[in-house]
Each structure stands twice: as structure tokens, then as C-alpha cells.
Amino acid sequence: MKDKIEQIKGLLAEIEKEASDELGQQFTKNYNALELPSIVSSIVEYLHPLLTPYEITVYWYLFNKSIVNTGEQYVRASTRGMSTIAKSGSGQSDEISYGAIKNAIDSLKKKEVILIVGDTNREGTLYKVSIPDEIPICKELMQKSSVEEVLGIDINKELDFYNVAENRLKVFERDGYKCHYCTKQLTRFSATLDHIQPVSKGGDNSLENLITACLHCNAERGNKPVMDFIVNAL
Ligand SMILES: [Zn+2]
């Protein structure tokens, strides 16, 4: 009897481990399915080299207040309101001077990294925060690197609608940026991809095997009932 209890204990520990591994994989999967990480990479790769440190600081502040917080590219912000987003470059003050922020904003506007899209009121000016594939000076840099990629053209890449950013957008566009499960209206910053036939069951990354889903429904579908784990473990 004691042996059997030990056996059951061992089995339960195994199930628990498997379940937590699965959760970890699920998180990675959902995170990869979201476009935001690849946008962040393209900002670091293609936008940073064209900006000064203060411009980068202001850009990330606006990016967070718009795309990350609301899923929209629009944000109202004032020069005065940004004085404490970083220490001064000299390190001698806890605030950035009004002039330095104003210069950074003016330069970001000139480089068409941010655009004024509305009037200025008490809360500040309404800006659109652009992302690299919309920013003229970035597009040049991005095209150069994609030309280099095309030289070693890869047919698998053309057929991969999960890992290739341009292809992912085609899935979202086909589905009208709506979650397949709950029909919630999404943006390219909140939409994720879900495999109809899971990769673990032989599904591929073709256009036909992918659908648009919100992060919630995607995770929900991925969380298999505990009974599945128990049956699999037996
Ligand atoms: Zn949904």
C-alpha cells in the first residue's frame, strides 16, 4: 500500500511539472503571437540609430502612453509634463530642462517620428506616435536590410504567416482585426495569431491554418482541462 501511495505521489508531481511546463510554453507562444515584441525590436534596430538619447527617451514615453496603454497610436502630452521622465544628461538634476524636451519634440516632429494631429489644449498637444514601418527615415534603413535578406530568398519565409511580420498582418487584415472567438475589435498591437490545427498536432504556419484572436481567447483555448493532463500522464 505504501508503495502505491509513493507511486501516486510521484505521478502527481509529474503531472504538476508537466502542467507548469505547458503554461510556460503557452506564455511564450502567446507572447510571440503578439506583434508588439517585433515592433519593439524594429524600434531598437532601425529608429534608435537615427535619434539622440533625449529623443529616444521622449519617444518611449509617448509610445508607452499610447500604443502600450491604449492600443491606439494617439496621445495627448505636454512639454512641461515630461520634465521628470528622466534625469538630466549631466546627471546633476532629477529633471530634464524644458528646452531640452522642446528640442527633442521638435526634432521628432521634423524627422516625422511623431505627428501633430490635433489642437493644443491645457493637457497638451495631440500626437500620433509612428512606428518604424511608417517613418520615412526608418523605411530606408529597413528596405536596405530586407533587400539583403531577399538576396538569400527563402520560400519557407514566404509561406510562414506566423513568424514573418508582413505575413502576420495579412492574416489580421483578412479577419478584419476581429477576434475569431469573441469578435472583439482589435488593433495590430493587441491582435494575436492562433493555430486552428495546433502545431503539436501537425498544424503548419499557412494562411489557412491561422486565425486572429485576442490574447484572452488565445490563452483560454491553450489552457487544456486538467483531465487532459491526467489522461496523458496515465
Ligand atoms: Zn477574443
Side-chain angles (χ1 to χ4, degrees), residues 179-184 213-214 216-218:
C179 174
H180 176 77
Y181 305 106
C182 70
T183 71
K184 188 175 162 190
C214 71
H216 177 80
C217 289
N218 196 332

Side-chain angles (χ1 to χ4, degrees), residues 88-197:
S88 73
S90 67
Q92 284 172 353
S93 165
D94 285 342
E95 294 190 7
I96 310 177
S97 74
Y98 178 86
I101 291 177
K102 195 178 173 302
N103 285 344
I105 291 177
D106 285 346
S107 176
L108 287 171
K109 283 191 291 197
K110 227 168 104 189
K111 291 173 182 173
E112 295 179 67
V113 176
I114 57 173
L115 310 169
I116 294 182
V117 287
D119 290 341
T120 300
N121 66 19
R122 274 186 174 191
E123 277 84 49
T125 306
L126 188 64
Y127 295 104
K128 179 186 182 225
V129 181
S130 295
I131 54 175
D133 62 22
E134 300 169 327
I135 302 168
I137 49 170
C138 279
K139 274 200 251 176
E140 260 174 60
L141 212 60
M142 291 172 91
Q143 265 160 10
K144 230 191 255 171
S145 83
S146 79
V147 164
E148 278 158 23
E149 268 173 39
V150 167
L151 291 176
I153 198 153
D154 184 353
I155 187 77
N156 290 327
K157 238 186 122 180
E158 280 179 40
L159 299 173
D160 188 338
F161 285 81
Y162 189 77
N163 294 304
V164 181
E166 310 92 86
N167 287 349
R168 272 202 297 269
L169 291 183
K170 286 180 196 154
V171 182
F172 297 150
E173 273 157 24
R174 181 201 62 197
D175 298 341
Y177 285 88
K178 281 203 170 100
C179 174
H180 176 77
Y181 305 106
C182 70
T183 71
K184 188 175 162 190
Q185 185 66 56
L186 306 165
T187 70
R188 66 182 287 187
F189 309 111
S190 57
T192 71
L193 290 176
D194 194 27
H195 288 93
I196 297 169
Q197 173 90 341

Side-chain angles (χ1 to χ4, degrees), residues 27-74:
F27 175 75
T28 318
K29 177 181 170 274
N30 286 337
Y31 195 61
N32 284 340
L34 204 58
E35 217 209 337
L36 205 50
S38 74
I39 293 173
V40 170
S41 288
S42 73
I43 290 167
V44 174
E45 235 173 288
Y46 301 111
L47 184 58
H48 278 205
L50 306 169
L51 302 181
T52 68
Y54 277 155
E55 288 163 24
I56 292 172
T57 305
V58 169
Y59 180 79
W60 281 118
Y61 172 78
L62 296 174
F63 185 91
N64 182 52
K65 271 193 89 170
S66 56
I67 291 165
V68 175
N69 285 349
T70 65
E72 302 286 342
Q73 287 178 268
Y74 301 98

